[in-house]
Amino acid sequence: YGGMGLDFSYNIAVAEELGNIRCGGIPLAIGVQIGMSTPALTRFGSDELKKQFLAPTIAGDFVASLGISEVGTGSDVASIKTTAERKGDEYIINGGKMWVTSGSQADWMCLLANTSKGPPHRNKSLICLPMNLPGIHITKKIDKLGMRSSDTTQIIFEDVRVPSKNLIGEEGMGFTYQMLQFQEERLWGVATALTALENTIQETIDYTRQREAFGRPVLHNQAVHFRLAELATEVELLRSLLYRTLALYLEGNDVTKLASMAKLKAGRLAREVTDSCLQFWGGMGFSSEVLVSRFYRDFRLMSIGGGTDETMLSIICKYMETLPKK
């Protein structure tokens, strides 16, 4: 379908390199294209669907988006309300999606919708939805704290008709497919954060080395150079967790627990690194001119998007068998 046939380790290598881009929005957009909206199609889609949607997405001729979250429904994927009712050889879609990255420019959406009234984990399906169909309304582009170069939209569906052949894999398996997609999404996010955090620390070292306060460089204060050493150690530990998780994933193992741990740690460490480093920049850190202030805003999303910290903790507890039964 136009790809290189490489394993997922190459995605992670690319993600790490994209961390050198001086904002979070561009790596996010590329990640949606190659690691969030397409894994289920690649793994479970029909040959016809792959030719229609995957091949032009790989070629860069199509922009892809992922439709999961809704107004009032974010990390609780099982509670989405959007429906895709089967009538003949079509699905009729009603509802809406929120926080859709690349939503206003997308050519198609990997849409999660309820296709039956069964149990919430077995009544959902993933559908390839062309975004030029009648009844699709992009209501607004969302003004955000960070990731400001990223196009994020709210979208409403009113009696949108899509061929039933656009179903990815089996009907009712959408929740399971999406949980698998989430693992790649979370690992991608961790990888993009790694390089960005390293760069933030290095630029803070460079700045505090030349910036003087009370007759000596700011870096010469033990509170500063010790703290930067601690942060660099934490980033390196996160890299080791990412690579261990990746190795197990490539061997075909279920890495949900480790991917959730890595995602949790990345979100919290992103906040810790950017907050600590911004402090060492002083007033300059509060300006929009420097990288640390942008990453302070952009990487706040790490603890929210793709599953909140609290959702990651619940998943980890489930695998540790410490989560209370309902």
Side-chain angles (χ1 to χ4, degrees), residues 41-314:
L41 173 59
T42 303
R43 190 177 300 180
F44 303 109
S46 66
D47 180 63
E48 183 180 355
L49 274 186
K50 290 177 184 177
K51 288 178 179 175
Q52 184 179 354
F53 294 100
L54 183 61
T57 301
I58 290 172
D61 296 327
F62 277 7
V63 173
S65 63
L66 180 64
I68 306 296
S69 296
E70 300 179 1
V71 175
T73 303
S75 295
D76 183 9
V77 175
S79 67
I80 65 165
K81 300 295 189 291
T82 297
T83 60
E85 184 181 0
R86 181 76 176 262
K87 288 197 174 179
D89 59 355
E90 291 182 318
Y91 286 108
I92 301 178
I93 299 168
N94 283 283
K97 294 296 175 181
M98 189 69 168
W99 314 116
V100 181
T101 301
S102 303
S104 69
Q105 57 188 309
D107 295 285
W108 70 279
M109 173 187 287
C110 179
L111 172 75
L112 185 69
N114 296 313
T115 47
S116 74
K117 295 182 179 179
H121 295 94
R122 296 195 294 275
N123 74 334
K124 294 170 175 54
S125 302
L126 285 176
I127 298 169
C128 290
L129 178 66
M131 292 298 288
N132 59 356
L133 297 176
I136 297 177
H137 308 288
I138 298 171
T139 61
K140 66 176 179 178
K141 291 181 70 174
I142 300 166
D143 187 15
K144 308 181 299 298
L145 169 70
M147 300 292 189
R148 297 185 64 82
S149 64
S150 177
D151 157 27
T152 310
T153 56
Q154 179 181 3
I155 300 175
I156 303 298
F157 308 115
E158 291 183 318
D159 293 328
V160 179
R161 294 178 175 269
V162 62
S164 57
K165 65 181 181 180
N166 283 24
L167 174 73
I168 296 175
E170 297 179 35
E171 189 171 279
M173 288 294 291
F175 183 88
T176 300
Y177 296 162
Q178 182 51 40
M179 291 305 105
L180 293 172
Q181 282 197 141
F182 270 145
Q183 304 321 313
E184 295 195 2
E185 173 179 343
R186 289 163 184 166
L187 294 176
W188 172 277
V190 173
T192 57
L194 276 176
T195 309
L197 296 180
E198 284 184 328
N199 290 342
T200 300
I201 293 170
Q202 186 57 53
E203 292 200 12
T204 302
I205 291 171
D206 295 341
Y207 179 75
T208 54
R209 177 174 281 130
Q210 58 88 21
R211 176 82 167 93
E212 290 196 357
F214 304 104
R216 64 174 181 170
V218 171
L219 183 63
H220 286 190
N221 291 280
Q222 190 179 82
V224 177
H225 56 250
F226 272 17
R227 181 59 176 149
L228 293 172
E230 289 174 342
L231 294 174
T233 302
E234 292 290 317
V235 172
E236 198 57 47
L237 288 168
L238 179 61
R239 172 175 278 107
S240 294
L241 175 56
L242 172 64
Y243 288 175
R244 169 168 148 73
T245 306
L246 174 63
L248 290 169
Y249 183 66
L250 293 174
E251 293 171 358
N253 295 288
D254 176 7
V255 296
T256 305
K257 177 183 173 184
L258 289 176
S260 300
M261 287 177 167
K263 165 74 163 57
L264 173 69
K265 182 62 177 177
R268 293 186 168 180
L269 186 57
R271 280 185 276 168
E272 190 178 359
V273 168
T274 56
D275 184 70
S276 293
C277 288
L278 190 150
Q279 183 69 23
F280 297 151
W281 284 75
M284 183 60 71
F286 201 64
S287 75
S288 297
E289 297 178 26
V290 295
L291 180 68
V292 66
S293 69
R294 168 175 272 181
F295 280 165
Y296 182 88
R297 292 179 288 108
D298 283 359
F299 282 107
R300 187 60 182 84
L301 182 63
M302 277 292 300
S303 288
I304 301 171
T308 61
D309 281 2
E310 293 73 22
T311 302
M312 296 304 100
L313 287 165
S314 293

